[in-house]
Amino acid sequence: MRKNIKLTALAATATALTLGLTACGSSSDPSSAKADGGKADESKPLVIAASPSPHADVLNFVKDKLAAKEGLKLEVKEFTDYVLPNTATEQGQVDGNYFQHKPYLDDFNKKNNTHVVPVVNVHLEPLGLYSKKVKALSDIKAGQTIAVPNDTTNEGRALQLLAANNLITLKEGVGTSAKLSDITDKKGLEFKELEAATVPRALGDVDAAVINGNYAIEANLAPAKDALALEKAEGNPYANFLAVKDGNQNDPRIQKLAKLLNSDDVKKFIEEKYQGSVVPAFATPAS
């Protein structure tokens, strides 16, 4: 979900990540990740990459309140982009990740020849349209500018939200893969494509912006209250899930974490902490 990350910053982050994870004995170290003929060593910490909020918040709740009862040692590594968690999972620098939805993962695997797979769905973050300059959808007029995420899946998702609220018209059948070129009627609006993480910071520079739920929360926006328009949760394909490199689904530590992430305790935590801005999505299996 990140196209505008500077290569130097990305390289530095990747180097720091590799060094940091090697130092802490992550699964990038063959002697620490595997034992007994290739089976996962259950005595080692399970290292999961996650976006800071709500993903890392949920994982840290599990770590602090639930993991010990299951004999699980959990370590949470926070990332502020949508690329490194998957590449680190693919390369074995972390044991799994929790930050993304299926349409994004499918696109990422296809473009990067990676083999990351979902294990269990956990929650949904409704995508929303926000503004510091207008107070209602009806105030958005021709000539104004709307910022949208620039990655393939979230741009299509953003455009579908705008179309559902009659701000634009899209070609029939484009679905979540919609691009700006698929808009048949912009209704006089202009669009600014930005890396998803930077959209909240640009909110004051545009008339409105479509922001991912986790970045809205990090920017102290309350999607359930502050959004001019918000995705509906029912039937939504964008549940966020725990994911691993294909072949590691049956790691006993992953199975313990999957069970805890779909527990009543986590459901209650999500509902009480996020008040509808993040919604439990246990009932929808990741596939």
Side-chain angles (χ1 to χ4, degrees):
M1 299 181 187
R2 321 281 191 181
K3 289 188 178 179
N4 296 337
I5 299 173
K6 292 184 179 179
L7 293 178
T8 53
L10 181 58
T13 302
T15 300
L17 170 66
T18 301
L19 292 173
L21 291 177
T22 301
C24 71
S26 78
S27 58
S28 61
D29 181 344
S31 64
S32 67
K34 301 289 181 181
D36 301 326
K39 294 181 180 179
D41 185 349
E42 292 186 59
S43 69
K44 298 298 182 182
L46 183 70
V47 183
I48 303 296
S51 298
S53 182
H55 309 81
D57 294 339
V58 174
L59 288 171
N60 282 320
F61 171 77
V62 171
K63 175 183 176 181
D64 295 340
K65 303 295 185 182
L66 307 176
K69 297 177 184 177
E70 294 290 332
L72 176 66
K73 297 177 182 178
L74 180 61
E75 185 174 340
V76 183
K77 293 288 183 181
E78 295 188 9
F79 291 75
T80 57
D81 82 290
Y82 287 169
V83 174
L84 287 175
N86 275 333
T87 57
T89 299
E90 176 75 14
Q91 295 166 6
Q93 295 170 332
V94 297
D95 298 300
N97 65 60
Y98 170 36
F99 78 101
Q100 64 191 322
H101 50 64
K102 191 66 163 51
Y104 174 71
L105 177 60
D106 289 344
D107 182 69
F108 188 96
N109 280 334
K110 181 178 179 180
K111 290 180 176 178
N112 296 279
N113 194 31
T114 46
H115 310 86
V116 180
V117 296
V119 177
V120 65
N121 286 356
V122 183
H123 77 267
L124 171 71
E125 303 163 24
L127 197 74
L129 177 68
Y130 301 85
S131 178
K132 289 185 177 180
K133 298 181 179 179
V134 302
K135 296 185 180 298
L137 282 173
S138 58
D139 296 330
I140 296 178
K141 306 294 184 183
Q144 294 181 330
T145 299
I146 298 177
V148 295
N150 67 359
D151 62 274
T152 303
T153 55
N154 280 306
E155 182 167 85
R157 187 180 176 188
L159 295 179
Q160 288 294 342
L161 176 66
L162 297 177
N165 286 277
N166 299 314
L167 293 175
I168 60 172
T169 302
L170 291 170
K171 294 177 184 176
E172 290 188 17
V174 292
T176 57
S177 63
K179 305 180 292 294
L180 292 182
S181 58
D182 294 317
I183 300 176
T184 57
D185 185 358
K186 293 185 177 181
K187 301 187 178 180
L189 296 172
E190 300 294 331
F191 295 92
K192 188 173 185 179
E193 297 175 291
L194 298 170
E195 181 207 349
T198 69
V199 177
R201 297 197 292 272
L203 188 55
D205 300 322
V206 294
D207 297 289
V210 180
I211 302 175
N212 291 69
N214 60 313
Y215 292 131
I217 294 167
E218 290 171 23
N220 296 317
L221 295 167
K225 295 188 299 182
D226 296 333
L228 301 178
L230 200 63
E231 282 181 322
K232 295 181 180 179
E234 185 176 353
N236 195 303
Y238 295 102
N240 283 208
F241 46 70
L242 174 67
V244 298
K245 185 174 182 179
D246 194 17
N248 295 335
Q249 298 93 316
N250 293 323
D251 181 331
R253 300 169 302 163
I254 289 292
Q255 291 300 309
K256 287 178 181 179
L257 179 58
K259 176 183 175 183
L260 293 174
L261 286 172
N262 273 195
S263 66
D264 289 340
D265 289 321
V266 167
K267 182 175 184 291
K268 182 179 179 181
F269 172 78
I270 291 173
E271 291 175 340
E272 291 183 351
K273 182 174 179 64
Y274 298 109
Q275 299 292 309
S277 296
V278 177
V279 183
F282 302 165
T284 306
S287 59

